[in-house]
């Protein structure tokens, strides 16, 4: 982190942005904890995600997953990751998340 964060947490979202609309899906967040200044780690896991409210055309597109580091309610930094969702031959959706550091 760029500085010590007494109440640091991460908020994770998926953003599907098309010509006609922008859909933001809140994926969750981590518990607040103290983050010292310098390199650190974050782990986030979801067993499943209900996206039935999103149209398939929106899902089968390129989107953005964002991990935002917060200190309380203040945004400290954001890590954007490009997400590409594609169907296989049976129609099951697969998600590829591209590393923003490569």
């Amino acid at each position: 982190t760029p500085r010590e964060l007494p109440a640091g947490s991460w908020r994770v979202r998926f953003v599907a942005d098309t010509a006609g609309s922008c859909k933001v899906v809140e994926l969750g967040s981590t518990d607040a904890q103290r983050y010292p200044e310098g390199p650190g780690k974050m782990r986030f896991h979801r067993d499943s995600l209900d996206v039935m409210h999103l149209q398939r055309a929106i899902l089968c597109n390129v989107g953005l997953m964002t991990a935002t580091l917060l200190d309380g309610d203040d945004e400290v930094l954001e890590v954007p990751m490009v997400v590409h969702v594609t169907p296989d031959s049976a129609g099951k959706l697969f998600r590829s998340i591209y590393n923003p550091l490569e």
Side-chain angles (χ1 to χ4, degrees):
T1 64
R3 58 181 167 81
E4 180 179 338
L5 306 177
S9 66
W10 289 88
R11 178 183 64 215
V12 183
R13 294 176 167 167
F14 174 72
V15 181
D17 197 1
T18 64
S21 68
C22 179
K23 304 289 185 189
V24 178
V25 179
E26 297 287 339
L27 300 178
S29 60
T30 64
D31 292 332
Q33 66 181 47
R34 181 190 163 276
Y35 280 92
E37 181 179 352
K41 294 181 182 180
M42 179 274 269
R43 293 186 91 164
F44 179 80
H45 174 78
R46 286 283 305 251
D47 287 328
S48 64
L49 178 62
D50 181 9
V51 292
M52 296 301 292
H53 63 285
L54 295 177
Q55 295 174 359
R56 190 171 177 90
I58 290 174
L59 285 175
C60 293
N61 206 333
V62 175
L64 195 65
M65 185 175 342
T66 61
T68 305
L69 179 60
L70 305 167
D71 186 21
D73 292 330
D74 298 328
E75 291 188 8
V76 177
L77 62 88
E78 183 175 85
V79 180
M81 295 160 273
V82 173
V83 177
H84 191 201
V85 179
T86 54
D88 67 5
S89 59
K92 186 174 180 181
L93 299 178
F94 285 89
R95 173 188 64 244
S96 299
I97 301 173
Y98 296 94
N99 184 341
L101 304 177
E102 293 180 347

